[in-house]
Amino acid sequence: MKRLLGPRVARNLANASEVRVEFDLESQPEIVQQAVGYALQAWDIAKGWLLSPEAWSQFALLVVAYLGAVFVARKLRPLLERLLDPGETQNLLTKPRLFVMRFLALLLPLLAYVFTGIGESIVRSIFDSGAVIAFGKRVFLFLALRALVRDIFTDPFLKVFGRYVLIPIGALYTLGLLDIVQAKLTETVVQLGNISFSVMSIVRGLIAGSVLFWLGRWSNEQSTQFIHKQEEMRPSLRQLAAKSVEFIIFGIAFLLLMNIMGINLSALAVLGGAIGVGLGFGLQKIASNFISGVILLVEGQATVGDYVELDGGEAGTIIKMMARATILETYDGRWIVVPNEDFITTRVVNYSDSGSGNRYEAEFSVSYDTDINLVPDIIEKAVATHPGVLDKPYPPDCELRGFGDSGIDFAVEFWVNGIDDGDNKYTSDVLFLIWNALKDHDITIPYPQRVVEIKGGLPSS
């Protein structure tokens, strides 16, 4: 601090040591003695500034720099807003211009910082001292940091990070205490077995880790959106590419974090070996599910959006494929979490693979009084009018199935693209068409009939 405050303040600090002798602080705790010492130093610094013509000239220069920054900002900001405001125009430069426009909140403090820096070089050349104006520069820089957190950061994580990390660090730097705090944290060492950390490295790791993994998450979101827009790729390949990019991004972030914290990766060899043994024994199911998920994504036999039915009875639409499991959503709104291994080791029916159609059938009966030779043509024409029924691979086909107790049994087979459940009611619609077609041609749909024979005749009354 003496280096920053100049020779005059250094002499005042020397005098402060003489003043401390007059107080009896030996019986007080060490923290009280330090607090009193810092208070006396602060008083001497303030008194030295108040009584120094050099300090007053620097204060005046700070005021002039700030007023000059206010004047220039008022003239410059409307011009920049007109240049950056895209209005109703939408093009590739719209988002970048709006992004740059948000940083206009930093215009005033940064201009004041620049003007103060120019004045500092002049003051130091005249008085060989610039402690006050250097402090002013740090204040303007702190105001710029505060505006950045308050007005520019919109992401919730960045706002919390700025409020509880950046602003406290900026306050320490402004007061000239940052180097002292760093030195104290560096001297404090935490020992964990064979690995030792300084508190400063832990703090630096927490800060860097937060920033790196936020950047990793943001980069992963952007890359995932870009990959999913590539319609020429198969859905399974898009999923695999997105997962691969995610692992690469967070792997790089982890390695950078280890480097920033100063941890030698060879020191983690034992831990890595232990993890490998754990994967081989206790975590083998997780490893198996992870590898099965990669196989699913590579082969593309089931992907997001497919309706599948597993051998165990689970059925639903795949809505998410994760590293360990796949999530199915049933038509009644329930989610089923299925381990990826089940898709590899058991039989899976995919109703949506490659957009292929699915065949369904609707059964009905007609009375024995009907000319059954007319029924297939009537029903096939009626079912073909449904907009969801396909002509390929086969048109509707009405088949005679048998002679029942009450009527003659038929069934019509038809192909559709989709599942007969949820929003689609193909079988129900086809049955309506069959009913109306039979009624239009005066064909009777039978109901159960029984003939009861009473032996011996009816009892006499």
Side-chain angles (χ1 to χ4, degrees):
M1 187 176 292
K2 293 181 181 181
R3 177 176 57 83
L4 296 175
L5 299 177
R8 179 182 295 274
V9 178
R11 291 195 298 271
N12 291 330
L13 289 177
N15 295 333
S17 62
E18 299 175 1
V19 176
R20 273 197 300 271
V21 178
E22 299 176 5
F23 295 93
D24 185 14
L25 299 175
E26 295 181 357
S27 60
Q28 300 297 326
E30 182 179 356
I31 188 173
V32 175
Q33 297 180 25
Q34 291 181 353
V36 172
Y38 287 133
L40 290 173
Q41 290 181 16
W43 167 249
D44 285 336
I45 292 171
K47 186 171 64 175
W49 284 2
L50 292 173
L51 299 179
S52 171
E54 302 171 4
W56 280 106
S57 63
Q58 294 178 51
F59 277 123
L61 190 57
L62 284 176
V63 173
V64 171
Y66 178 75
L67 294 177
V70 170
F71 176 78
V72 174
R74 287 181 178 177
K75 297 293 184 182
L76 190 59
R77 182 160 183 163
L79 176 62
L80 293 176
E81 287 179 346
R82 287 195 298 270
L83 290 175
L84 295 174
D85 188 5
E88 298 181 356
T89 305
Q90 297 292 329
N91 51 44
L92 293 176
L93 297 178
T94 299
K95 288 185 177 180
R97 289 169 70 178
L98 291 174
F99 178 76
V100 174
M101 193 173 178
R102 289 163 50 188
F103 286 85
L104 293 180
L106 303 179
L107 186 61
L108 177 58
L110 290 181
L111 282 174
Y113 179 84
V114 172
F115 291 164
T116 305
I118 297 173
E120 182 183 14
S121 61
I122 299 173
V123 169
R124 289 191 182 276
S125 63
I126 297 175
F127 298 107
D128 194 24
S129 174
V132 176
I133 202 167
F135 177 74
K137 279 178 59 180
R138 296 197 296 271
V139 170
F140 291 139
L141 198 60
F142 177 78
L143 294 177
L145 179 63
R146 182 171 173 270
L148 180 71
V149 174
R150 182 189 60 194
D151 301 326
I152 298 175
F153 285 169
T154 56
D155 185 85
F157 168 78
L158 289 181
K159 275 197 170 294
V160 173
F161 181 78
R163 187 179 297 117
Y164 296 106
V165 177
L166 294 182
I167 288 183
I169 291 176
L172 290 174
Y173 173 75
T174 302
L175 297 174
L177 301 176
L178 186 59
D179 291 339
I180 298 174
V181 173
Q182 283 183 332
K184 190 68 176 176
L185 294 177
T186 304
E187 293 172 0
T188 308
V189 178
V190 177
Q191 192 77 24
L192 293 176
N194 295 328
I195 304 176
S196 60
F197 303 91
S198 68
V199 176
M200 186 63 205
S201 65
I202 296 176
V203 172
R204 187 165 54 239
L206 290 175
I207 295 174
S210 301
V211 175
L212 284 174
F213 282 94
W214 177 83
L215 286 174
R217 188 197 66 180
W218 179 83
S219 302
N220 182 56
E221 290 176 353
Q222 300 301 315
S223 60
T224 301
Q225 291 178 6
F226 175 78
I227 291 172
H228 285 310
K229 290 179 181 177
Q230 310 307 310
E231 298 293 340
E232 65 275 7
M233 296 175 62
R234 285 191 308 166
S236 59
L237 288 180
R238 291 200 297 265
Q239 286 289 113
L240 178 60
K243 289 295 181 183
S244 301
V245 170
E246 181 179 359
F247 286 128
I248 291 172
I249 289 174
F250 284 103
I252 293 174
F254 176 76
L255 294 177
L256 288 175
L257 178 60
M258 294 297 101
N259 187 41
I260 291 172
M261 292 183 65
I263 299 176
N264 188 357
L265 294 179
S266 61
L268 301 177
V270 177
L271 179 62
I275 293 176
V277 173
L279 287 174
F281 291 97
L283 303 179
Q284 57 182 341
K285 277 292 184 182
I286 295 178
S288 174
N289 285 319
F290 175 78
I291 296 172
S292 299
V294 174
I295 294 173
L296 277 174
L297 293 174
V298 171
E299 293 184 348
Q301 295 178 354
T303 186
V304 174
D306 288 354
Y307 186 90
V308 297
E309 182 178 353
L310 276 71
D311 203 21
E314 302 90 349
T317 303
I318 299 176
I319 62 172
K320 194 172 185 180
M321 300 183 73
M322 302 179 295
R324 186 191 64 84
T326 298
I327 297 179
L328 308 182
E329 184 177 27
T330 64
Y331 283 115
D332 53 4
R334 292 180 175 87
W335 281 18
I336 304 175
V337 180
V338 182
N340 290 330
E341 186 181 11
D342 290 356
F343 283 87
I344 303 299
T345 59
T346 61
R347 183 176 59 185
V348 179
V349 179
N350 191 339
Y351 290 90
S352 307
D353 186 35
S354 300
S356 59
N358 297 303
R359 191 190 70 175
Y360 295 95
E361 65 179 35
E363 298 177 348
F364 64 97
S365 299
V366 298
S367 68
Y368 277 98
D369 297 333
T370 305
D371 184 358
I372 62 174
N373 296 299
L374 303 177
V375 172
D377 185 60
I378 294 171
I379 298 303
E380 289 171 1
K381 288 180 179 179
V383 174
T385 61
H386 191 285
V389 174
L390 305 176
D391 293 331
K392 294 181 180 181
Y394 301 102
D397 181 25
C398 184
E399 299 176 351
L400 175 64
R401 291 295 175 86
F403 301 98
D405 294 337
S406 302
I408 304 173
D409 299 328
F410 284 88
V412 59
E413 297 175 347
F414 58 94
W415 287 77
V416 292
N417 266 332
I419 306 300
D420 186 23
D421 203 346
D423 296 334
N424 301 322
K425 306 295 182 185
Y426 296 121
T427 302
S428 174
D429 295 342
V430 167
L431 288 173
F432 271 108
L433 293 173
I434 293 173
W435 172 274
N436 293 327
L438 294 178
K439 288 296 182 183
D440 291 341
H441 290 82
D442 296 323
I443 297 176
T444 304
I445 298 176
Y447 49 87
Q449 300 180 19
R450 296 289 183 270
V451 177
V452 178
E453 181 180 354
I454 300 175
K455 293 184 178 180
L458 293 172
S460 58
S461 56

